[in-house]
Coordinates of all heavy atoms in Angstrom, one line a residue:
R1 N 85.7 75.0 6.1 CA 85.6 73.8 6.0 C 84.0 73.3 6.2 O 83.4 72.5 5.5 CB 86.4 72.8 6.8 CG 86.5 71.4 6.5 CD 87.1 70.5 7.6 NE 88.4 71.1 7.9 CZ 88.9 71.1 9.1 NH1 88.2 71.1 10.3 NH2 90.3 71.6 9.3
Q2 N 83.5 73.9 7.3 CA 82.1 73.7 7.6 C 81.2 74.1 6.5 O 80.3 73.4 6.2 CB 81.7 74.4 8.9 CG 82.2 73.6 10.2 CD 82.0 74.4 11.5 OE1 81.7 75.6 11.5 NE2 81.8 73.6 12.5
K3 N 81.5 75.2 6.0 CA 80.7 75.7 4.8 C 80.7 74.7 3.5 O 79.6 74.5 3.1 CB 81.2 77.1 4.3 CG 80.2 77.9 3.6 CD 80.8 79.4 3.2 CE 79.9 80.1 2.4 NZ 80.3 81.4 2.1
R4 N 81.9 74.2 3.4 CA 82.1 73.3 2.3 C 81.3 72.0 2.5 O 80.7 71.4 1.7 CB 83.6 73.1 2.0 CG 83.8 72.3 0.6 CD 85.3 72.2 0.3 NE 85.9 71.2 1.2 CZ 86.9 71.5 2.0 NH1 87.3 72.8 2.1 NH2 87.5 70.6 2.8
M5 N 81.4 71.5 3.8 CA 80.8 70.2 4.1 C 79.3 70.4 4.1 O 78.6 69.3 3.7 CB 81.3 69.9 5.6 CG 82.6 69.4 5.7 SD 83.2 68.1 4.8 CE 82.3 66.7 5.5
L6 N 78.8 71.5 4.5 CA 77.3 71.8 4.4 C 76.9 71.8 2.9 O 75.8 71.2 2.6 CB 77.0 73.1 5.1 CG 75.6 73.3 5.5 CD1 75.2 72.4 6.7 CD2 75.4 74.8 5.9
A7 N 77.6 72.4 2.1 CA 77.4 72.4 0.7 C 77.4 71.0 0.0 O 76.3 70.6 -0.7 CB 78.3 73.3 -0.1
I8 N 78.3 70.1 0.4 CA 78.4 68.7 0.0 C 77.2 67.9 0.4 O 76.7 67.1 -0.3 CB 79.7 68.1 0.4 CG1 80.9 68.6 -0.3 CG2 79.8 66.6 0.2 CD1 82.3 68.4 0.2
K9 N 76.9 68.2 1.8 CA 75.7 67.4 2.3 C 74.5 67.8 1.6 O 73.7 66.8 1.3 CB 75.7 67.7 3.8 CG 74.7 67.0 4.7 CD 74.9 67.3 6.0 CE 73.9 66.3 7.0 NZ 73.8 66.8 8.4
K10 N 74.3 69.1 1.3 CA 73.1 69.5 0.5 C 73.1 68.9 -0.9 O 72.0 68.5 -1.3 CB 73.1 71.1 0.5 CG 71.8 71.8 0.4 CD 72.1 73.2 0.5 CE 70.7 74.0 0.5 NZ 70.8 75.4 0.6
F11 N 74.2 68.9 -1.5 CA 74.3 68.3 -2.9 C 74.0 66.8 -2.9 O 73.3 66.3 -3.7 CB 75.7 68.6 -3.5 CG 76.0 67.9 -4.7 CD1 75.4 68.4 -5.9 CD2 76.7 66.8 -4.7 CE1 75.7 67.9 -7.1 CE2 77.1 66.2 -6.1 CZ 76.5 66.6 -7.2
R12 N 74.5 66.1 -1.8 CA 74.3 64.7 -1.9 C 72.9 64.3 -1.5 O 72.3 63.3 -2.0 CB 75.2 64.0 -0.7 CG 76.6 63.8 -1.2 CD 77.4 63.2 -0.2 NE 78.8 62.9 -0.7 CZ 79.8 62.5 0.0 NH1 79.7 62.4 1.4 NH2 81.0 62.4 -0.5
K13 N 72.2 65.2 -0.8 CA 70.8 65.0 -0.5 C 70.0 65.1 -1.7 O 69.1 64.3 -2.0 CB 70.3 65.9 0.7 CG 69.0 65.6 1.2 CD 68.6 66.5 2.3 CE 67.4 66.1 3.1 NZ 66.9 67.0 4.1
A14 N 70.2 66.1 -2.5 CA 69.6 66.3 -3.8 C 69.8 65.2 -4.7 O 68.9 64.7 -5.5 CB 70.1 67.6 -4.5
Q15 N 71.1 64.7 -4.7 CA 71.4 63.6 -5.7 C 70.7 62.3 -5.2 O 70.2 61.6 -6.1 CB 72.9 63.4 -5.5 CG 73.9 64.2 -6.3 CD 73.7 64.0 -7.7 OE1 72.9 64.8 -8.4 NE2 74.4 63.2 -8.4
R16 N 70.6 62.0 -3.9 CA 69.9 60.8 -3.5 C 68.4 61.0 -3.8 O 67.8 59.9 -4.3 CB 69.8 60.8 -2.0 CG 71.2 60.3 -1.4 CD 71.1 59.6 -0.1 NE 70.7 60.5 1.0 CZ 71.4 61.3 1.6 NH1 72.7 61.3 1.4 NH2 70.9 62.3 2.4
R17 N 67.8 62.1 -3.9 CA 66.4 62.3 -4.1 C 66.3 62.0 -5.8 O 65.3 61.4 -6.1 CB 65.9 63.7 -4.0 CG 65.5 63.9 -2.5 CD 64.7 65.2 -2.4 NE 64.3 65.4 -0.9 CZ 64.4 66.5 -0.4 NH1 64.7 67.6 -1.0 NH2 64.0 66.7 0.8
L18 N 67.2 62.6 -6.5 CA 67.1 62.4 -8.1 C 67.3 60.9 -8.4 O 66.7 60.4 -9.2 CB 68.4 63.1 -8.6 CG 68.5 63.1 -10.0 CD1 67.4 63.5 -10.9 CD2 69.7 63.9 -10.6
I19 N 68.4 60.2 -7.6 CA 68.5 58.8 -7.9 C 67.3 58.0 -7.5 O 67.0 57.0 -8.3 CB 69.8 58.2 -7.1 CG1 71.0 58.9 -7.7 CG2 69.8 56.8 -7.1 CD1 72.3 58.7 -6.8
Y20 N 66.7 58.2 -6.4 CA 65.4 57.5 -6.1 C 64.3 57.7 -7.2 O 63.7 56.8 -7.5 CB 65.0 58.1 -4.6 CG 63.9 57.2 -4.2 CD1 63.9 56.0 -3.8 CD2 62.6 57.8 -4.1 CE1 62.8 55.2 -3.3 CE2 61.4 57.2 -3.6 CZ 61.5 56.0 -3.1 OH 60.6 55.2 -2.7
A21 N 64.2 58.9 -7.6 CA 63.1 59.3 -8.6 C 63.5 58.5 -9.8 O 62.5 58.0 -10.5 CB 63.2 60.7 -8.8
R22 N 64.7 58.5 -10.3 CA 65.1 57.7 -11.5 C 64.8 56.2 -11.4 O 64.3 55.6 -12.4 CB 66.6 58.0 -11.8 CG 66.8 59.2 -12.5 CD 68.2 59.4 -13.1 NE 68.5 60.6 -13.6 CZ 69.7 60.8 -14.4 NH1 70.6 59.9 -14.5 NH2 70.0 62.0 -14.8
A23 N 65.1 55.7 -10.2 CA 64.9 54.3 -9.9 C 63.5 53.9 -10.0 O 63.1 52.9 -10.7 CB 65.5 53.9 -8.6
Q24 N 62.6 54.8 -9.4 CA 61.1 54.5 -9.6 C 60.7 54.6 -11.0 O 59.8 53.8 -11.4 CB 60.5 55.7 -8.7 CG 60.3 55.3 -7.3 CD 59.4 56.4 -6.6 OE1 59.4 57.6 -6.9 NE2 58.5 55.9 -5.7
A25 N 61.2 55.6 -11.8 CA 60.9 55.8 -13.1 C 61.2 54.5 -14.0 O 60.4 53.9 -14.9 CB 61.4 57.0 -13.8
Y26 N 62.4 54.0 -13.7 CA 63.0 52.8 -14.4 C 62.0 51.5 -14.1 O 61.7 50.8 -14.9 CB 64.3 52.5 -14.1 CG 65.4 53.6 -14.6 CD1 66.5 53.9 -13.9 CD2 65.1 54.3 -15.8 CE1 67.4 54.8 -14.5 CE2 65.9 55.2 -16.4 CZ 67.1 55.4 -15.5 OH 68.0 56.4 -16.1
H27 N 61.7 51.4 -12.8 CA 60.9 50.4 -12.3 C 59.5 50.4 -13.1 O 59.1 49.3 -13.6 CB 60.6 50.4 -10.8 CG 59.7 49.3 -10.3 ND1 60.1 48.0 -10.3 CD2 58.5 49.3 -9.9 CE1 59.2 47.3 -9.8 NE2 58.2 48.1 -9.4
K28 N 59.0 51.5 -13.1 CA 57.6 51.7 -14.0 C 57.8 51.4 -15.4 O 56.9 50.6 -15.9 CB 57.3 53.1 -13.8 CG 55.8 53.5 -13.7 CD 55.6 55.0 -13.5 CE 54.3 55.1 -12.6 NZ 54.1 56.6 -12.4
E29 N 59.0 51.7 -16.0 CA 59.2 51.4 -17.4 C 59.3 49.9 -17.6 O 58.8 49.3 -18.6 CB 60.4 52.1 -17.9 CG 60.8 51.9 -19.3 CD 62.1 52.7 -19.7 OE1 62.6 53.6 -19.0 OE2 62.7 52.1 -20.7
Y30 N 60.1 49.2 -16.8 CA 60.3 47.8 -16.9 C 59.0 47.1 -16.7 O 58.6 46.1 -17.5 CB 61.3 47.2 -15.8 CG 62.8 47.8 -15.8 CD1 63.4 48.2 -14.7 CD2 63.3 48.2 -17.0 CE1 64.6 48.7 -14.7 CE2 64.6 48.7 -17.1 CZ 65.3 48.9 -15.9 OH 66.6 49.5 -16.0
R31 N 58.2 47.3 -15.7 CA 56.9 46.9 -15.6 C 56.0 46.9 -16.8 O 55.3 46.0 -17.2 CB 56.2 47.4 -14.2 CG 55.0 46.6 -13.8 CD 54.5 47.1 -12.5 NE 54.2 48.5 -12.5 CZ 54.0 49.4 -11.5 NH1 54.2 48.9 -10.2 NH2 53.7 50.5 -11.7
H32 N 56.0 48.2 -17.3 CA 55.2 48.5 -18.5 C 55.7 47.6 -19.7 O 54.8 47.0 -20.4 CB 55.4 50.0 -18.9 CG 54.6 50.3 -20.3 ND1 53.3 50.4 -20.3 CD2 55.2 50.6 -21.4 CE1 52.9 50.7 -21.5 NE2 54.0 50.8 -22.2

């Protein structure tokens, strides 16, 4: 269970980074 939770935590952290990067790119596009 601990191993699975660690993997989920790692995946969610990567997802948050990706979502933040996308949001920044969209903000740039709208401003342009």
